[in-house]
Amino acid sequence: MAIPQSFIQELLARTDVVDIVGRYVQLKKGGANFMGLCPFHGEKSPSFSVSPSKQFYHCFGCGKNGNAISFLMDHAGMTFIEAVKDLAQQYGLQVPEDDVSPQDRAKAAQAREQQATLTSVLEKAGRAYIRSLRTSERAIQYFKRRGVSGEIAKTFGLGYAPEGWRSLASVFPDYNNPLLVESGLVITGEPGEDNAAGEAKRYDRFRDRVMFPIRNVKGECIGFGGRVLGDEKPKYLNSPETPVFSKGRELYGLFEARTALREHGYALVTEGYMDVVALAQLGFANAVATLGTACTAEHVQKLFRFTESVVFSFDGDSAGRRAARKALDAALPFASDVRTVKFLFLPAEHDPDSFIREHGQEGFAACVAKAVPLSRFLIEAAAEGCDLDTAEGRAHMASNARPLWSALPEGALKPQLLAEIAEQVMIDSRELLQLWQPASGGRKPYYKKNSGPPPQPQNFRPEHPAPELDHGMPEFGDYPPMGLHDEPDYASSEPYFSQPPAYSPSPAAPSGKPGKFGRKPFPSGSAPRRMTGRILPASREDRVLRLLLTEPQSWDRLSTEEHHLLLALPAPHGPLFAWLESQLHEHGPQSWAVLREGLRGHAHEHHAVAQFAEVLEGVDYDWDETRRILMQLQQLKRDSEIAELAARAPSEPAVLERLRELLAQSRAEKTPQKPA
């Protein structure tokens, strides 16, 4: 969905960033600004400043800054589209949906109203469960035996569902309200199971259980988990699937763990509610739990919005290994070079709670540090049940490894794992790749032989020479190819210019005739700008945009910091990257043909189409070059912040520490490394 830039500007004009930040951070007036402890890094002295006049926040400790939208993205883990919709709802604005039919618009409005109604019903039930806990000695003693303090119980909103079939009848005046069934709080009997009054039987779903409210990333109650106080079955009971709750998408404790995830630097995924609560009590507030289901790709994707490192904790028995294998399958597509996934297997007699109580926090932290990395666990999973002393067993392992390896995103990890798998199955990595990808088109990445690079004859020519430019293609005429290892000096963003009237296709390329790569010459009015007969080099931002239009799945290879860097760029690039992120979030990776249709009517459609027209078919982008471009953009952003802080330093001494830190970083990156 494309959101007009004018609407975003109007939304930010109505938004009070102090109010938005103040819901999550305790702020105190300090001069013209408000100050508080930074929610993005641990600190004891406030260095987090929120400016009501500039509608901007900035941390002088870690450098995080932005507006109300970026705060919700950074702190609440929302996507750009989710943050805009959340703010619009808070301020009574309707997000423009010009590309949506009136029927779909009405359906979406009805769904939003239904969600708000159901969450309010669940919140009311949650408050009733908390009141019941205060009067239930059995429930209080249960939590005390598990070492749960009153403070932790308050943080997680723990409660108790009383005995009795219709306890909620004293909470909701109309016990027959259909919303109670729709929210999963009440169960209706089967047809024919009527009571004495001829009404369908209705009774509470949760009875005589300690209650764990399940919250979404905005802190809204969307469901419950209940645990019996003894050994009755079922031990755990979850809310059913509802319009606001899906156990395949939600993680228990994620809302409460947001700040701790940044402080600890990783998310610890466990198997139960009590694990999360007990770990928070024992100093590991970065724990979350799946809700009685195997870990899904949506779980992993949601976690990577908050952290770049995830550790899955499982029992060391066969059931734990099976659960870990499912988590591996879910994590593989997101295991980019900037992310870390590990697997922690505890002894069979321990869960995280009991392990920490016996070995202490330091013992558990050491255990986490030694967790099995994804690369090793992938090879172990592929080799399971295979006799590697026989050719048949090694072939079996190769067959097991193929789908796992193929699920990995492109990057430095993938070829390394190919070499390790090839070594295990005693096949040259090139031969193994040929077996796995016999008919893949286009340029393949270079994977070296296990024993070293192949010998090169005296008159060696590269296997994949740079493609000759077709000078019958006006869009590439007179533009010399860049050396493979040249460091490009990209221009800054250039606005799109229409083709000058004097422009005409090269005589070698008649209008409408496809060029060498099957791409037609530019239509009238869409040629790239030229200077003295030469196409201007693409800007840094345009190079990254071309890559993501061609390979949208590459968005998941970027770090969170790089996401925010691209989303904060001025138009046309920032809005286009935000649109791409929303498309990937809502629909997954899509081909250019599908993206092109979605772009129709977008404010910057023309620029995106023009950039895609510059993409050479059959030629892969160099990911290392893209990484260098992003580093250059980061440096430009840092230089801009240095200039701003330098101007403010004489009147605001508080910025000096941050300024010195940025200058040190800048000098360190610009100083060439001396050879060892």
Side-chain angles (χ1 to χ4, degrees), residues 638-658:
R638 187 185 301 123
D639 292 345
S640 175
E641 186 178 355
I642 288 173
E644 179 190 352
L645 293 178
R648 292 166 52 191
S651 59
E652 298 182 45
V655 306
L656 284 173
E657 183 179 349
R658 175 63 179 167

Side-chain angles (χ1 to χ4, degrees), residues 147-226:
V148 178
S149 67
E151 182 182 352
I152 290 294
K154 182 178 179 181
T155 298
F156 286 90
L158 304 182
Y160 171 68
E163 296 180 90
W165 292 90
R166 296 165 68 95
S167 298
L168 288 178
S170 62
V171 179
F172 297 94
D174 183 8
Y175 191 70
N176 291 319
N177 189 334
L179 288 173
L180 297 180
V181 176
E182 195 172 357
S183 62
L185 293 171
V186 168
I187 299 174
T188 56
E190 296 295 327
E193 295 181 2
D194 299 339
N195 58 22
E199 301 172 337
K201 286 185 178 179
R202 298 170 73 88
Y203 52 93
D204 295 356
R205 180 179 299 275
F206 301 102
R207 304 179 304 280
D208 193 24
R209 291 174 180 267
V210 286
M211 299 297 289
F212 301 81
I214 301 165
R215 295 165 172 156
N216 60 19
V217 292
K218 294 190 287 185
E220 299 168 335
C221 183
I222 55 175
F224 291 96

Side-chain angles (χ1 to χ4, degrees), residues 354-501:
S354 64
F355 189 94
I356 295 174
R357 294 187 187 281
E358 182 174 330
H359 299 280
Q361 292 185 20
E362 292 183 1
F364 186 72
C367 196
V368 169
K370 296 177 182 177
V372 179
L374 176 141
S375 56
R376 193 195 312 165
F377 187 53
L378 184 151
I379 291 177
E380 290 177 1
E384 187 174 2
C386 302
D387 182 2
L388 299 185
D389 292 331
T390 66
E392 292 83 355
R394 293 190 293 272
H396 190 186
M397 178 184 172
S399 177
N400 292 342
R402 178 179 180 177
L404 300 176
W405 181 85
S406 299
L408 286 166
E410 294 299 328
L413 176 63
K414 195 168 186 178
Q416 292 181 77
L417 270 172
L418 179 75
E420 290 190 28
I421 296 167
E423 184 177 354
Q424 290 280 333
V425 301
M426 298 184 182
I427 299 178
D428 181 82
S429 58
R430 288 188 176 184
E431 295 174 357
L432 182 60
L433 184 64
Q434 186 62 35
L435 286 171
W436 284 355
Q437 299 178 341
S440 59
R443 189 176 66 190
K444 296 187 181 72
Y446 174 75
Y447 295 112
K448 69 178 183 179
K449 288 197 173 195
N450 301 345
S451 57
Q456 299 177 357
Q458 185 174 1
N459 298 322
F460 172 73
R461 289 177 176 271
E463 184 179 353
H464 299 290
E468 298 179 2
L469 297 180
D470 186 347
H471 292 284
M473 296 177 66
E475 62 267 42
F476 300 110
D478 292 329
Y479 190 62
M482 184 180 293
L484 185 62
H485 300 291
D486 290 348
E487 180 73 29
D489 182 18
Y490 297 106
S492 60
S493 298
E494 288 281 342
Y496 181 81
F497 291 92
S498 297
Q499 171 183 316

Side-chain angles (χ1 to χ4, degrees), residues 271 293-295 312-330 343 345 377 381 384:
E271 297 184 88
T293 184
C295 184
F312 292 99
S313 174
F314 298 101
D315 296 337
D317 56 14
S318 58
R321 302 288 295 192
R322 287 194 300 271
R325 174 56 197 273
K326 292 178 180 178
L328 172 68
D329 293 338
F343 297 85
F345 297 100
F377 187 53
E384 187 174 2

Side-chain angles (χ1 to χ4, degrees), residues 255-284:
F255 173 76
E256 292 80 4
R258 292 164 306 156
T259 302
L261 291 177
R262 298 183 177 94
E263 291 174 353
H264 287 262
Y266 68 94
L268 180 64
V269 184
T270 63
E271 297 184 88
Y273 320 112
M274 273 310 305
D275 287 336
V276 173
V277 174
L279 284 167
Q281 182 73 58
L282 296 169
F284 291 88

Side-chain angles (χ1 to χ4, degrees), residues 8 52 62 67 85 95-96 125 142 149 251 320 331 433 435 479 496 511 533 551 628-629 667:
I8 295 173
C62 67
N67 54 30
K85 287 183 175 180
V95 179
Y142 172 82
S149 67
L251 289 157
L433 184 64
L435 286 171
Y479 190 62
Y496 181 81
S511 177
E551 302 174 8
R628 288 195 297 271
I629 293 172
R667 293 192 192 101

Side-chain angles (χ1 to χ4, degrees), residues 536-556:
L536 286 177
S539 70
R540 300 177 179 90
E541 297 89 337
D542 283 341
R543 294 287 293 178
V544 179
L545 180 62
R546 292 175 189 178
L547 167 68
L548 292 173
L549 287 172
T550 310
E551 302 174 8
Q553 65 274 17
S554 297
W555 181 262
D556 284 331

